[in-house]
Amino acid sequence: MDSDQGTGATTPESDRKRKVHGMLKLYYGLNDEGKAVELAESLDPCDINGPHFDPEVYLNKLRKECSLGDLMDQESCMVKQIRSLDSDMQTLVYENYNKFISATDTIRKMKNDFKKMEDEMDCLSANMAAITEFSANISGTLQDQHAQITKLSGVHTLLRKLQFLFELPARLNKCLELQAYAQAVSSHRRARCVLQQYSHMPSFRGIQDDCSAIMEQLAQQLRQKFRDGGSNAKDLSECVELLLQLDEPAEELCDKFLSHAQSRLEADLQGLEAELREPVSPSEPTTDTAVKKAASTAARSPTNAATPTTNPFLSAGSKTDILEFIDRGCNEFVSNLCLVIASYQELFINRPQEGELASKNIPEMASGKLHTFVDALAVRYFSLVERRIQEEKGVGDNSLLVRALDRFHRRLQAVTKLLPGSSVPSQGTQIVVQAARERIKQYLSALQSFYLDSLTDVRQALAAPRLSVGGGTGSGVLLGGGTSGKDAPPNLPELLASFSASILNQIKSVLASVHLFTAKDITFSNKPYFKGEFCSQGVRESLVVSFIKFVCQSSRQFCESTGDRGGSTPPALLLLLSRLCLDYETSTISYILTLTDEQFLVQHHSPVTAVTALCAEANEAAQKLLNHYVKVQGLIISQMLRKSVETRDWVNTIEPRNVRAVMKRVVEDTTSIDVQVGLLYEEGVRKAHSSDSSKRTFSVYSSSRQQVRYAPSYTPSAPMDTNLLSNIHKLFSERIDIFSPVEFNKVSVLTGIIKISLKTFLECVRLRTFGRYGLQQIQVDCHYLQMYLWRFVSDENLVHFLLDEIVGSAAHRCLDPSPMEQSVIEVICERG
């Protein structure tokens, strides 16, 4: 009842109506959507709007709490609310009066309409009863004639069948003339059961005999048509289907069908085989001949070093394009094979079996024959494909082979869909995988050939300065080493850079060609049976790792003993290969394997060769090559020293007036070797030299000085004194390991060569007997060597010690040990 009277005076008419409606909804307990809501009941007796309102309690409360003025105001407020509610109620009644009147009229009209509808339903019921009565009367009247009509209808149907049977021979002859074999078989099958059932009656037996003769003639024509093979596959399938309907043996038909299909497929295979047997044009050499011819051409032209004239990556012209060959095989043989499989399955395997055929289990029998047939032909086809793939020896352009294998693989997938369970697709896949492996082997062989050809060109480039001289004793002793002033020695850094770059470029070229096997548009590239094995074991291991191992192994072969392959190897080539293997260890191997892993996304599921193992192998090869280089160069110089000692009469020689030419040659060759090694290796670390390294002459030879001091006692009667002094001197000297491994720097290499040379000189001196002037000549030669060789070694004391041993050993073996004055030695050596 507590309504807002102040706002009600100012609201428009629509707000007033909405308020009235709201009060009605509140009274009836409805929400804004017109649905009933449950309101919480108020238990307060003073709540004038609550169901438990008590007027007496409410009045008592007002009298107690309100003053007279408040009571008057409350009364006037209630009067206004009562009047307002009465006014709203009257308005609501007036507004809904017309609706009430309209609803009354509608109800009255509905009563009248229902009354008319009841009258019509009564009339309809009466009519239906009359119709039922008339129908019963008609059925009773015609019941006697119904059986007669049914009998006549059956007779009519029988007469039509008899008419069809009597006309059947003529109909079959007409179909035979028109070659409508399917219609003839269908007509005969419709009448065959009836004729067999009534074959005991003469008339029907005559019709049956005539039809059998006609159908036998039709079967003969179908068999002839089947044997001729002149029809297409559709006609052939129709022939087989009609013969099956004529109760021909299914197994015999299967064999005939496959035999006929085999003759056609054999023609396709013979065409492919004839293409393989096509002779090569005489003007076009085979791949092997072309490679050998190009190799011989390269051997005769050594001017272009490290760039072989013969490039095994350039394929010779092939007699047949492999892509065309595979296309022909796929478009002819594989397509026809798929058509045969589909037709055969439709006729013998997927054909619904009815009657007696269902008990013979024809699909199982036909399926076994089909698998045997397909497998036998596939073996021949795959052998031809393998032969053609094996003819792809050139490894220049790989795209045709990859596209051919992709097309071959794609077309074989159709056989998988048509003939599930067949081994043909797996065999074809194996051919693709094997072709990829063989391609890897061919690329490895080509890389190896390219490496060897490049190595041959490097050897020719190293030998070119020596050959240009025209034969001279000075440059002929040290191949690739010391040359005369007119010779221009090969530029080893450029030669090494060109050699290494050409090999690396060929590896990249091979990887780019092999990468075609893993292209996204190649169907077999992402197959699990191909990609993982091909990338990991094929490309990485069988190609890249195998080639790196081949480089290291072929390099180590140059370290064989003298007289074998290593005996004729130029020392400069040993040095160059050592540096190449060292570069492979430090950077090239890691770069190549990283490049391979990135290009082919190699997943190391299976065991692969670690980079560290390859680097260790390359380091071992580099170390062996460098050790062998030191050995070869040391032996070359040693040979000169040995000949100079063995071919001279040291007892009866003349008084020395100059340094022997061989000593000058030793210094020249050592200098050349120093320059040669310095082109490829760093300087290295030397011990600090003394200030008088180049001036130390006779004073450095302690054994000789001791020999002079004890010369009066050096007689045959007292040989133990001098030997004892020399041995005591050796005890306090550092032991020298002559053939110790060298380090990868110039100082270590030169130290090793000089140790071998001087040790040989010492051993040769120990085998000779010297006179007075022979000892003095050894003094002069050793002083000359000391003047120049000390600057090449890591520790000058090593040269001093060995030269001291040489002079001391000569003094021990001298018949008249009278040393030359130091000043005279210096004058002779400075004069050269």
Side-chain angles (χ1 to χ4, degrees), residues 184-328:
V185 173
S186 176
S187 300
H188 181 261
R189 290 188 65 189
R190 288 170 56 189
R192 182 169 54 184
C193 295
V194 177
L195 291 175
Q196 289 178 353
Q197 183 178 358
Y198 298 99
S199 61
H200 60 280
M201 300 177 66
S203 58
F204 286 98
R205 185 181 304 156
I207 296 174
Q208 184 182 15
D209 294 341
D210 294 340
C211 291
S212 298
I214 295 172
M215 295 310 295
E216 180 62 27
Q217 186 179 357
L218 185 145
Q220 289 292 340
Q221 293 184 9
L222 288 176
R223 294 190 194 99
Q224 184 63 35
K225 186 177 180 181
F226 187 86
R227 284 193 298 267
D228 292 342
S231 57
N232 55 27
K234 183 178 180 181
D235 295 338
L236 188 65
S237 301
E238 184 179 358
C239 286
V240 173
E241 185 174 1
L242 294 176
L243 288 172
L244 282 175
Q245 294 178 7
L246 292 175
D247 294 334
E248 287 287 324
E251 186 172 357
E252 182 179 347
L253 287 178
C254 289
D255 293 337
K256 289 182 179 179
F257 182 90
L258 294 178
S259 176
H260 178 269
Q262 185 172 5
S263 62
R264 291 178 172 272
L265 294 173
E266 285 281 355
D268 297 336
L269 292 176
Q270 290 174 3
L272 294 176
E273 191 170 2
E275 188 172 345
L276 286 177
R277 289 197 302 264
E278 288 181 3
V280 185
S281 175
S283 60
E284 296 181 0
T286 60
T287 305
D288 295 337
T289 307
V291 171
K292 292 179 180 177
K293 183 178 179 180
S296 62
T297 305
R300 294 192 299 268
S301 56
T303 54
N304 188 12
T307 307
T309 307
T310 172
N311 191 340
F313 297 91
L314 299 179
S315 173
S318 179
K319 62 181 180 182
T320 306
D321 187 352
I322 187 171
L323 184 59
E324 295 178 0
F325 181 86
I326 295 297
D327 274 341
R328 180 176 177 181

Side-chain angles (χ1 to χ4, degrees), residues 303-353:
T303 54
N304 188 12
T307 307
T309 307
T310 172
N311 191 340
F313 297 91
L314 299 179
S315 173
S318 179
K319 62 181 180 182
T320 306
D321 187 352
I322 187 171
L323 184 59
E324 295 178 0
F325 181 86
I326 295 297
D327 274 341
R328 180 176 177 181
C330 291
N331 295 333
E332 295 179 2
F333 174 77
V334 178
S335 297
N336 292 336
L337 181 63
C338 292
L339 184 60
V340 168
I341 293 173
S343 302
Y344 184 90
Q345 288 179 333
E346 183 179 355
L347 292 176
F348 301 107
I349 299 177
N350 300 331
R351 188 169 180 268
Q353 305 295 320

Side-chain angles (χ1 to χ4, degrees), residues 336-536:
N336 292 336
L337 181 63
C338 292
L339 184 60
V340 168
I341 293 173
S343 302
Y344 184 90
Q345 288 179 333
E346 183 179 355
L347 292 176
F348 301 107
I349 299 177
N350 300 331
R351 188 169 180 268
Q353 305 295 320
E354 299 176 355
E356 296 180 358
L357 296 178
S359 61
K360 296 181 180 180
N361 202 5
I362 295 177
E364 183 177 354
M365 177 273 299
S367 179
K369 288 182 175 293
L370 180 61
H371 278 81
T372 304
F373 170 79
V374 172
D375 291 344
L377 287 175
V379 168
R380 291 190 54 192
Y381 173 62
F382 288 154
S383 66
L384 296 176
V385 172
E386 288 178 337
R387 283 173 55 189
R388 182 61 188 88
I389 292 175
Q390 290 173 1
E391 292 181 2
E392 289 296 304
K393 300 297 184 181
V395 289
D397 186 8
N398 217 21
S399 58
L400 283 180
L401 177 62
V402 175
R403 288 168 57 195
L405 293 176
D406 177 57
R407 200 157 300 177
F408 174 74
H409 184 269
R410 286 175 186 267
R411 295 302 294 270
L412 287 182
Q413 303 310 308
V415 181
T416 306
K417 297 178 181 179
L418 288 173
L419 196 63
S422 174
S423 61
V424 172
S426 61
Q427 294 175 2
T429 300
Q430 188 62 32
I431 290 177
V432 173
V433 174
Q434 185 63 28
R437 292 175 181 170
E438 290 297 327
R439 204 60 170 172
I440 292 294
K441 293 180 181 177
Q442 293 174 9
Y443 274 114
L444 176 61
S445 177
L447 276 175
Q448 293 173 350
S449 300
F450 180 83
Y451 173 78
L452 295 178
D453 292 341
S454 300
L455 199 59
T456 301
D457 292 338
V458 170
R459 296 187 67 164
Q460 293 174 353
L462 293 173
R466 181 179 63 85
L467 297 175
S468 63
V469 177
T473 57
S475 60
V477 180
L478 183 61
L479 183 58
T483 58
S484 63
K486 297 180 181 180
D487 293 333
N491 193 333
L492 288 181
E494 293 182 2
L495 202 59
L496 174 63
S498 178
F499 182 43
S500 179
S502 64
I503 296 173
L504 187 59
N505 289 335
Q506 289 300 339
I507 293 175
K508 291 180 179 179
S509 176
V510 166
L511 291 178
S513 299
V514 175
H515 194 263
L516 295 176
F517 281 96
T518 61
K520 293 182 178 179
D521 57 342
I522 304 301
T523 54
F524 57 80
S525 63
N526 291 320
K527 300 296 182 182
Y529 54 76
F530 179 82
K531 187 171 184 179
E533 186 74 15
F534 175 76
C535 294
S536 178

Side-chain angles (χ1 to χ4, degrees), residues 57-76:
V57 175
Y58 181 72
L59 287 175
N60 292 332
K61 181 181 179 182
L62 288 179
R63 284 196 297 268
K64 291 178 181 180
E65 294 178 356
C66 300
S67 61
L68 182 61
D70 294 335
L71 289 174
M72 297 295 291
D73 294 338
Q74 187 70 22
E75 180 186 9
S76 61

